[in-house]
Amino acid sequence: MSYIREMRKHIGHAPMLSAGATVIVLKGNQILLNLRSDTNTWGIPGGALELGETLEQTAARELREETNLTAESFTLLHLFSGPDFYFKYPNGDELYSVVALYLANGVTGELRITDGESSELAYFRKDQLPVLESRAERIIEWLIERNILQEAFQASN
């Protein structure tokens, strides 16, 4: 059972902290995004840490659950937290996220939706990004500001 879901039984919609992992998957000069079924905005694959998991295990699990992809390894890029990572879900749940951002290396598998969290998966060029969920927008801004996205695109070609 999901730790977050279990905690929500006790605290309702009240704000809570959650640690998790978000995974950057690159294909040529494009980044993989998922159209979130809850907000109808585009996000980056990832999710909450479950009890007993490492953040890297969370990255691997979420990548597989949300996209059907696997990675040989992950490179930790940054740790995000603070008010920019507050999110209020459409159902009223409030969350302050601590997000470990990983770059997936050696990605394999057939891209497909494997859970109900996404309604579409697609790759986008940095100059053609769709409307993003707030946390994904902040992460991509951070990647662009530091030229990390450009460097990663070049390394993946």
Side-chain angles (χ1 to χ4, degrees):
M1 164 152 298
S2 163
Y3 176 72
I4 298 287
R5 207 170 307 127
E6 188 62 28
M7 292 307 297
R8 286 286 173 211
K9 290 179 185 177
H10 302 285
I11 66 167
H13 299 300
M16 66 180 291
L17 292 171
S18 173
T22 296
V23 183
I24 301 297
V25 176
L26 301 174
K27 181 178 179 183
N29 67 345
Q30 298 180 315
I31 185 171
L32 178 62
L33 299 175
N34 60 326
L35 183 58
R36 297 173 54 101
S37 56
D38 57 355
T39 62
N40 203 38
T41 55
W42 291 86
I44 304 168
L49 181 80
E50 293 295 343
L51 295 176
E53 275 186 326
T54 66
L55 286 165
E56 193 167 307
Q57 288 169 334
T58 301
R61 177 180 51 78
E62 289 289 342
L63 181 63
R64 186 180 61 256
E65 286 178 0
E66 294 185 7
T67 68
N68 194 49
L69 301 176
T70 58
E72 288 177 12
S73 65
F74 296 92
T75 302
L76 179 63
L77 299 177
H78 193 66
L79 192 61
F80 294 93
S81 62
D84 285 343
F85 289 85
Y86 165 82
F87 191 76
K88 186 170 185 177
Y89 288 88
N91 70 355
D93 288 354
E94 295 183 63
L95 194 67
Y96 285 89
S97 299
V98 178
V99 177
L101 179 64
Y102 287 96
L103 175 64
N105 305 303
V107 176
T108 58
E110 181 184 333
L111 184 64
R112 66 180 155 90
I113 296 170
T114 57
D115 65 13
E117 296 178 18
S118 302
S119 57
E120 188 177 342
L121 297 168
Y123 286 93
F124 293 90
R125 288 193 342 232
K126 135 176 126 164
D127 60 346
Q128 294 183 326
L129 293 171
V131 175
L132 297 167
E133 181 264 318
S134 63
R135 295 167 296 181
E137 183 174 25
R138 182 62 198 112
I139 288 170
I140 289 176
E141 286 172 359
W142 183 89
L143 290 166
I144 291 170
E145 287 168 3
R146 286 156 183 78
N147 268 348
I148 294 171
L149 202 54
Q150 187 60 33
E151 291 170 10
F153 283 151
Q154 291 169 352
S156 70
N157 287 329

